[in-house]
Amino acid sequence: QLQLQESGPGLVRPSETLSLTCTVSGGSISTSNYYWGWIRQPPGKGLEWIGTFYYNGNTYYNPSLKSRITISVDTSKNQFSLKLNSVTAADTAVYYCARDGAFPGRLGYWGQGTLVTVSS
Amino acid sequence: QSVLTQPPSASGTPGQRVSISCSGSSSNIGKNTVNWYQQLPGTAPKLLIYSNNQRPSGVPDRFSGSKSGTSASLAISGLQSEDEADYYCAAWDDSLNGVVFGGGTKLTVL
């Protein structure tokens, strides 16, 4: 059974960099036919797509966040990561990692999510 | 302001059929398939419908999806109390080159 688990600091200072890692078990990130991505949800609000990548290097980012985000992958550890720099209180959210489909948008497996609070 | 438009709330009584709409444009729903997610309180979203009208394994056939032009709908028949949740539509947007979500619809079972 495929499982995803987010990890990283729960508190980040304003203007600093948010860093999260998603560890995948029960399946390989390098498997073809699947994209992998990040989604976030501010408290009490809706879902926002952050970005997604394919194991061969294709990466898509939310245009509104593109200048601040980097998604990278470590296939040796079966992990992928999110870095979001210059954070503000507006970046406070539950961050989810997920396995997407053969084309982005069909997010079939989700991690449980991790709350990241931006505050001094 | 979400790219895809959903009603903020919907409600129904047990056993009823309810429908949730999702309105988009030619660059998203008009050209690409729609996926629906169910988010129960305090949990991660779950894929409910993919490719407009397909149900993943384990999703009851009470849930169905449809698409016409630049709009899509999720229908729930035989409403049950455990269906009380937030529902989101999503699609790929060719103009934004990314996934767009609806703002979500909170379904209340009266």
Side-chain angles (χ1 to χ4, degrees):
Chain A
Q1 175 75 355
L2 188 73
Q3 292 186 324
L4 298 92
Q5 178 69 57
E6 306 87 352
S7 60
L11 179 65
V12 180
R13 306 274 186 227
S15 81
E16 296 189 346
T17 297
L18 179 159
S19 295
L20 294 174
T21 296
C22 181
T23 301
V24 178
S25 59
S28 172
I29 289 178
S30 301
T31 303
S32 59
N33 291 330
Y34 295 113
Y35 280 80
W36 303 81
W38 291 95
I39 305 94
R40 70 179 183 179
Q41 184 171 35
K45 297 188 178 180
L47 301 171
E48 180 181 30
W49 175 75
I50 297 173
T52 190
F53 74 93
Y54 196 59
Y55 79 102
N56 67 359
N58 281 356
T59 306
Y60 300 97
Y61 292 144
N62 185 323
S64 68
L65 299 171
K66 188 173 184 177
S67 63
R68 297 195 292 132
I69 58 175
T70 302
I71 295 176
S72 59
V73 58
D74 186 338
T75 54
S76 66
K77 295 182 179 178
N78 219 30
Q79 295 176 333
F80 59 100
S81 299
L82 169 70
K83 289 190 185 301
L84 175 65
N85 58 38
S86 304
V87 297
T88 69
D91 295 309
T92 293
V94 175
Y95 285 76
Y96 296 100
C97 61
R99 192 188 81 175
D100 215 324
F103 190 76
R106 178 183 161 182
L107 298 147
Y109 288 88
W110 295 64
Q112 65 184 26
T114 186
L115 174 63
V116 179
T117 302
V118 179
S119 175
S120 55
Chain B
Q1 194 80 347
S2 301
V3 174
L4 304 182
T5 301
Q6 298 179 234
S9 64
S11 63
T13 56
Q16 262 191 335
R17 172 187 164 97
V18 297
S19 185
I20 296 171
S21 63
C22 176
S23 177
S25 68
S26 59
S27 63
N28 41 66
I29 295 178
K31 281 186 179 177
N32 299 296
T33 60
V34 177
N35 306 294
W36 289 89
Y37 299 89
Q38 178 193 56
Q39 186 175 32
L40 297 170
T43 69
K46 166 190 167 185
L47 182 65
L48 195 65
I49 297 287
Y50 68 94
S51 298
N52 303 328
N53 55 19
Q54 302 299 302
R55 286 185 306 275
S57 174
V59 174
D61 59 7
R62 301 187 297 106
F63 295 90
S64 62
S66 63
K67 182 183 114 170
S68 178
T70 58
S71 294
S73 287
L74 171 71
I76 309 171
S77 60
L79 197 61
Q80 299 180 3
S81 58
E82 55 260 41
D83 298 333
E84 192 161 281
D86 293 324
Y87 293 84
Y88 295 90
C89 59
W92 180 263
D93 189 295
D94 287 350
S95 295
L96 297 175
N97 222 25
V99 177
V100 291
F101 282 98
T105 298
K106 183 176 185 61
L107 175 64
T108 301
V109 181
L110 303 170

